[in-house]
Amino acid sequence: MTVKNAINWRKTIKKYDSTKTIKDNDLSTIIEAGRLAPCSLGLEVTNVVNIINKELKTKFAEEVMYGLNQEKVKNASCVMVVVGINPEYLTSTEFLKKRLERNIVEPDILKNTLEKYQTFLAQKENLFAFVSEQAHIVTSFITLQAADLKIGSTIMGGFNAEKCNELLSEHCDFDEERLHSILVLALGYYDEKDEQTTLPRIRIDFNEFAKIIK
Ligand SMILES: Cc1cc2nc3c(=O)[nH]c(=O)nc-3n(C[C@H](O)[C@H](O)[C@H](O)COP(=O)(O)O)c2cc1C
């Protein structure tokens, strides 16, 4: 598929086919798209946690998701939580050093750059919002890569983030001191012939969306 075709094919999925599973290599391709997404300062402040275990998906749906999102999570092949790092950890020397020393070897330059980054981040009004912006870009890459593989997706903000954090820390290496949940994605197959699975595409007019200054 071309990127244009993937953009047109992608629609929010309302009802998943619980009998169909995403192949491991396709899930890896989707995750890789998120890993390669651009991010401010190259800091890579997000991760994804993927739940494919059926019982855990059901528990997650019931305890974490709101309303109609519950069924989507139960029936989708994979539930993916996009998580981001907490402001305190983001601005810590430990975290910044780990990121910066990947391409800065010289100790003085490393120290100066680290201080510059700390100053830049300290000026940001809301570091949760800064991390959330990166998570939404990761999400775009992931959902488009899924579309390219003809795998449906739903981006969901309708969930209880605190309960999500708790459940993740119970079931995987998720440190609530350092990480928080930002978005939940459902990924899976659906009946493309059933019109109820997606919403009609409604968008504002091109000229309302875009101003082109010549
Ligand atoms: C940040 C964000 C949060 C969303 N939260 C939900 C949600 O909780 N449940 C849901 O069914 N759709 C959710 N959506 C999907 C939107 O409703 C959907 O993208 C929009 O109506 C346009 O439809 P389309 O994606 O089919 O083009 C969310 C989308 C975004 C970008």
Side-chain angles (χ1 to χ4, degrees):
M1 244 197 242
T2 62
V3 175
K4 185 180 171 189
N5 288 344
I7 288 169
N8 280 303
W9 188 88
R10 187 216 58 82
K11 276 183 158 191
T12 289
I13 304 308
K14 299 285 169 193
K15 198 171 144 201
Y16 286 90
D17 179 347
S18 62
T19 64
K20 294 194 178 137
T21 306
I22 302 174
K23 288 194 211 102
D24 286 352
N25 61 332
D26 284 344
L27 184 58
S28 299
T29 303
I30 292 168
I31 292 169
E32 184 65 356
R35 192 175 76 91
L36 295 179
C39 56
S40 180
L41 302 170
L43 282 177
E44 297 178 73
V45 295
T46 58
N47 297 87
V48 289
V49 181
N50 300 280
I51 305 173
I52 49 177
N53 173 284
K54 268 202 169 126
E55 288 76 42
L56 191 55
K57 263 196 298 117
T58 303
K59 182 177 152 88
F60 188 96
E62 285 165 2
E63 292 182 9
V64 173
M65 302 310 297
Y66 293 145
L68 295 173
N69 286 340
Q70 291 191 338
E71 280 305 302
K72 292 171 203 143
V73 165
K74 277 183 197 167
N75 295 324
S77 171
C78 174
V79 51
M80 182 185 288
V81 187
V82 185
V83 308
I85 66 174
N86 297 341
E88 204 179 318
Y89 182 51
L90 167 63
T91 51
S92 70
T93 302
E94 180 192 348
F95 173 75
L96 291 172
K97 192 163 171 273
K98 202 163 72 171
R99 290 291 186 264
L100 290 173
E101 67 190 5
R102 295 181 299 177
N103 54 1
I104 305 175
V105 191
E106 219 275 302
D108 282 347
I109 300 177
L110 181 64
K111 188 172 172 284
N112 280 343
T113 313
L114 200 145
E115 281 166 9
K116 269 191 208 150
Y117 275 39
Q118 277 170 330
T119 307
F120 172 81
L121 291 169
Q123 285 162 358
K124 292 254 164 215
E125 220 169 87
N126 185 339
L127 285 175
F128 278 110
F130 170 80
V131 172
S132 179
E133 285 161 17
Q134 322 306 317
H136 284 73
I137 295 168
V138 165
T139 298
S140 293
F141 270 53
I142 283 172
T143 52
L144 283 185
Q145 178 59 76
D148 179 53
L149 297 169
K150 292 208 153 203
I151 292 170
S153 63
T154 314
I155 303 168
M156 289 171 290
F159 71 101
N160 184 321
E162 242 171 71
K163 289 211 172 125
C164 187
N165 295 343
E166 274 171 33
L167 191 140
L168 295 184
S169 55
E170 255 175 57
H171 293 275
C172 72
D173 179 20
F174 180 90
D175 181 356
E176 286 188 68
E177 294 286 316
R178 292 188 168 186
L179 294 168
H180 64 282
S181 306
I182 299 171
L183 283 173
V184 178
L185 313 183
L187 292 159
Y189 293 96
Y190 64 99
D191 182 356
E192 284 188 49
K193 288 186 203 110
D194 178 355
E195 285 181 7
Q196 304 296 315
T197 56
T198 58
L199 292 177
R201 176 148 284 167
I202 302 169
R203 288 297 190 270
I204 54 173
D205 184 72
F206 184 92
N207 294 319
E208 189 184 342
F209 176 68
K211 304 284 171 248
I212 299 174
I213 304 169
K214 288 187 178 160

